[in-house]
Amino acid sequence: MSRSESVAKLPEWAGALLDHARVARLGLIDDDGGPRVLPVTYALAGEAIVTAIDHKPKAVPPERLARLRWLRARPSAALTVDHYEDDWSRLAWVQAIGTVEILDAADAPEALAALTARYAQYRDRAPSGPILLLIPDRVVWWRA
């Protein structure tokens, strides 16, 4: 396992994994202090990794989502992107660890541009937010 302070300082293969993977897992701490992991769409926006609350069906209005409540109380998070194959000599992962800032979509045009450039679904219907902005304190990676 190796590490850096920035997504800009990743080895080429790790940067390619972040660039090409379509989904990541966002790890955070819930109201009971337990770990939770959620699949998310994401994009790189400068030194940050961004994800958004979008139009996919939700049981409650976006402002009442548990993940937002958890992040407001404990903004530390880890975002993991991995590559799996049955050929275990090709396994790899990258994890960004840091603090998440919750932004209104209107205040995050660079994040929205990065997400809409990455996902055709967002070009058809841009996320209305909020936007989750993770600026890594450290990035760790591993491959077989």
Side-chain angles (χ1 to χ4, degrees), residues 4-141:
S4 75
E5 329 56 64
S6 164
V7 293
K9 297 180 181 177
L10 293 174
E12 187 175 330
W13 69 264
L17 178 58
L18 277 181
D19 285 341
H20 299 294
R22 303 303 290 161
V23 67
R25 277 63 176 182
L26 181 65
L28 31 84
I29 304 298
D30 70 14
D31 289 336
D32 297 323
R36 297 296 295 265
V37 178
L38 304 171
V40 295
T41 55
Y42 73 96
L44 298 174
E47 289 290 313
I49 300 172
V50 297
T51 185
I53 306 303
D54 58 29
H55 57 278
K56 292 188 294 294
K58 313 281 188 280
V60 298
E63 63 276 1
R64 292 187 42 223
L65 287 172
R67 75 186 87 166
L68 296 179
R69 183 177 67 246
W70 301 335
L71 285 167
R72 284 185 184 106
R74 288 161 298 284
S76 295
L79 184 128
T80 303
V81 175
D82 67 301
H83 174 79
Y84 177 84
E85 289 188 27
D86 287 336
D87 175 357
W88 285 5
S89 69
R90 299 184 56 134
L91 301 177
W93 55 263
V94 176
Q95 186 175 75
I97 303 160
T99 302
V100 173
E101 186 176 348
I102 301 170
L103 304 172
D104 288 332
D107 297 331
E110 183 181 353
L112 281 174
L115 287 162
T116 56
R118 186 168 170 82
Y119 297 98
Q121 297 88 334
Y122 290 160
R123 289 190 290 279
D124 294 338
R125 186 174 175 188
S128 58
I131 301 294
L132 306 180
L133 181 99
L134 172 67
I135 298 178
D137 297 323
R138 64 189 163 128
V139 182
V140 293
W141 61 87

